[in-house]
Amino acid sequence: MRSKIIAGNWKMNMNNKETKNLVKGIKKSIKRVQLDNTRVIVAPAYVNLTSAIKRAKKSNLEVVSQNMHQAKNGAFTGEISADMLKGIGVKTVILGHSERRSIFGETDAILAEKVNSALENGLEIIFCFGELLEDRKSENHFSVVESQLKNGLFHLDSMAWNQIVLAYEPVWAIGTGETASPEQAQEMHAFIRKLLQEKYNTSVADNTSILYGGSVKPANAEEIFSKQDVDGGLIGGASLNVADFTAIIKAI
Ligand code: PGA
């Protein structure tokens, strides 16, 4: 059975002290929430991973990375490898976020390399993808999503899918206050599951968690999560506040 997941992507927010306080706050608040088959995840900045992991000990809160470099090691000034993440106790990495793709030039080919490196190091992947506004307007959103999945992930064998979580994030909904309607989210998630069924099998299609991301807030979370193929959310802005993030967790 696929898990439900609420993941907070903190992006370049929260210094070390703020990270510790936010982890402490979330840890405390989720103690009072019944988390049946639901994972709660936060992704602080690289430099704060270790202290977040320490603070999250003895709780159900998982601390993951927002990114990593594809190379094993070497002359890549300023970068972080999968092995380094593993070495500090990180078990999961977010790859392919639209900000990585658009601001930092990460292509499907680079992402496929990152996927391989993460899996070789035993890291689970939350793989993000989604169409631009112009793709949706020109009704190319299904083909864009299909090609992002094919190029980034479909070289994997079915076994590897135990380690993959998908996060559909229409770029026009990220940080804009605009969300896909629950029907638009469901339509795309059902399409993605159909692709998994066609490329792999029913087991991969049924067992892969597909998260929705893009301006999920306490006010819209419940309706989006009520859709049958939406298994949770990747939350940006609203994950930086204990009350909002907790309300979103409760919504699932
Ligand atoms: P948002 O970000 O919730 O602030 O729109 C989502 C994301 O970037 O994952």
Side-chain angles (χ1 to χ4, degrees):
M1 189 169 76
R2 56 187 188 256
S3 328
K4 297 202 176 290
I5 300 173
I6 301 295
N9 173 11
W10 293 359
K11 309 191 179 184
M12 199 175 73
N13 295 295
M14 302 283 141
N15 64 24
N16 193 259
K17 193 167 170 213
E18 291 161 344
T19 297
K20 287 181 190 166
N21 285 337
L22 188 50
V23 167
K24 203 168 128 192
I26 295 169
K27 182 173 161 178
K28 197 167 153 206
S29 85
I30 62 173
K31 270 195 187 144
R32 288 182 239 114
V33 183
Q34 207 181 330
L35 295 171
D36 296 334
N37 187 36
T38 301
R39 297 170 60 190
V40 180
I41 291 174
V42 292
Y46 284 139
V47 288
N48 297 320
L49 285 168
T50 299
S51 46
I53 289 170
K54 210 164 139 192
R55 288 276 152 149
K57 280 228 167 87
K58 298 202 184 98
S59 78
N60 293 325
L61 185 61
E62 298 173 45
V63 176
V64 314
S65 178
Q66 298 174 16
N67 182 34
M68 53 166 250
H69 193 269
Q70 61 273 30
K72 205 169 167 195
N73 56 8
F76 300 100
T77 302
E79 291 294 333
I80 299 285
S81 70
D83 180 57
M84 291 173 188
L85 292 176
K86 198 169 70 172
I88 58 165
V90 170
K91 298 191 169 62
T92 303
V93 60
I94 297 173
L95 293 178
H97 189 278
S98 79
E99 287 145 21
R100 299 297 321 169
R101 292 174 187 262
S102 67
I103 306 172
F104 301 100
E106 293 189 8
T107 59
D108 285 350
I110 291 174
L111 290 168
E113 285 183 49
K114 290 193 177 202
V115 163
N116 293 342
S117 175
L119 293 176
E120 278 160 21
N121 283 279
L123 297 179
E124 178 193 43
I125 296 162
I126 299 175
F127 188 85
C128 307
F129 54 93
E131 81 282 1
L132 303 172
L133 184 58
E134 60 250 40
D135 300 324
R136 186 157 280 264
K137 281 191 175 154
S138 59
E139 296 185 2
N140 281 322
H141 45 297
F142 292 115
S143 61
V144 167
V145 161
E146 184 169 353
S147 83
Q148 287 172 327
L149 289 174
K150 279 192 171 155
N151 296 337
L153 293 172
F154 280 11
H155 60 286
L156 299 175
D157 62 25
S158 60
M159 288 300 291
W161 282 80
N162 293 332
Q163 292 286 86
I164 309 286
V165 169
L166 298 178
Y168 166 59
E169 299 203 299
V171 178
W172 48 273
I174 297 178
T176 57
E178 204 173 315
T179 37
S181 68
E183 291 70 29
Q184 285 172 322
Q186 169 57 28
E187 185 186 34
M188 183 58 86
H189 285 220
F191 171 74
I192 294 162
R193 233 180 268 293
K194 187 169 84 47
L195 292 177
L196 295 179
Q197 164 81 53
E198 285 164 5
K199 167 72 188 171
Y200 295 97
N201 51 47
T202 309
S203 159
V204 170
D206 286 351
N207 293 319
T208 301
S209 299
I210 309 178
L211 315 184
Y212 167 80
S215 298
V216 176
K217 307 281 177 222
N220 59 26
E222 198 169 332
E223 214 189 337
I224 296 172
F225 298 158
S226 70
K227 295 297 177 190
Q228 70 173 33
D229 287 300
V230 179
D231 304 311
L234 182 56
I235 323 294
S239 70
L240 298 170
N241 170 292
V242 177
D244 285 355
F245 194 54
T246 307
I248 291 170
I249 295 164
K250 283 183 179 159
I252 199 124

